Amino acid sequence: SYFRKPVSKLKSGITLIFLVDDHPVFLEILKGDLLTLPNTEIMTFNSGEDCLRHMYLNPSLVVLDYDLSGVDETPNLMNGVQVLKKLKKTHPKTEVVMLSGWDNVAVATTSIKLGAFDYVVKNEHALLNVRNKIKNIFRKFRIMKQLREERVAKWVISGIFGICLIFSFFADKLMN
């Protein structure tokens, strides 16, 4: 099985990012560019299968190439869309940015429908575009965290208010 029980070995506040691409040079360039992001740890994989085997580490974000045919054209490797389907089944909250060397509307549309955050074409702007998508995802994570914290605060305040009302009711009964 590709998936194990979720485990987090990262320090609190560290975001784990998986980079998946079968071209080692591009993978290293992308990793080097993203290493400058604060509070992140980056792991690289040259196949979708290898990425899926490590999903138990619970990455927050996966940058996933569409064409994962392998440097040596290894047969029967999953493409990025197939990996995305499996990944989203078991880790629906993991954000995915799809990469492709082709500006293919059908692949982009399919990727988004299957839950990818966005689609980036590998061109001269790819590194900047991936970085911007990741910053947008980090912004989304911060907003979601703030919303969760606000919800908790509202529940706590409501609970305190409720306890005060109950106490007031019983105190009034005891006084009369």
Side-chain angles (χ1 to χ4, degrees):
S1 172
Y2 285 116
F3 305 101
R4 298 182 198 162
K5 184 177 178 187
V7 173
S8 180
K9 295 183 180 192
L10 297 175
K11 294 181 211 165
S12 178
I14 301 294
T15 302
L16 179 58
I17 300 174
F18 282 6
L19 305 179
V20 186
D21 199 306
D22 60 338
H23 292 91
V25 173
F26 182 80
L27 196 57
E28 284 305 309
I29 290 170
L30 182 59
K31 179 181 178 183
D33 185 58
L34 297 179
L35 280 173
T36 60
L37 292 170
N39 302 318
T40 58
E41 183 175 320
I42 297 174
M43 294 181 70
T44 61
F45 304 96
N46 60 10
S47 74
E49 289 83 357
D50 200 19
C51 169
L52 291 173
R53 279 191 288 275
H54 288 83
M55 285 302 295
Y56 71 93
L57 294 171
N58 265 343
S60 299
L61 169 60
V62 176
V63 179
L64 177 61
D65 186 29
Y66 169 71
D67 182 15
L68 295 168
S69 57
V71 177
D72 58 356
E73 301 297 319
T74 307
N76 302 320
L77 289 177
M78 286 189 281
N79 68 33
V81 170
Q82 293 166 321
V83 174
L84 175 64
K85 280 182 192 177
K86 287 185 178 272
L87 188 154
K88 282 295 189 172
K89 263 186 195 167
T90 57
H91 292 79
K93 292 184 180 180
T94 299
E95 293 294 352
V96 178
V97 174
M98 290 295 291
L99 279 172
S100 179
W102 305 98
D103 193 358
N104 186 323
V105 175
V107 173
T109 303
T110 300
S111 298
I112 301 298
K113 284 181 181 177
L114 291 172
F117 182 83
D118 215 331
Y119 181 88
V120 174
V121 177
K122 286 184 188 176
N123 59 24
E124 65 274 5
H125 305 291
L127 293 177
L128 179 62
N129 288 339
V130 168
R131 180 179 276 277
N132 286 336
K133 303 301 178 199
I134 290 173
K135 286 180 181 179
N136 289 338
I137 290 169
F138 285 175
R139 193 172 299 118
K140 176 185 172 184
F141 288 162
R142 281 192 304 276
I143 290 168
M144 297 302 286
K145 182 180 178 191
Q146 287 173 333
L147 288 173
R148 281 192 305 274
E149 289 170 354
E150 286 175 12
R151 251 185 256 125
V152 168
K154 285 179 184 176
W155 279 103
V156 169
I157 291 169
S158 296
I160 291 171
F161 183 69
I163 290 170
C164 289
L165 281 176
I166 292 168
F167 180 74
S168 173
F169 173 79
F170 284 114
D172 189 47
K173 290 288 185 188
L174 289 174
M175 294 292 189
N176 291 332

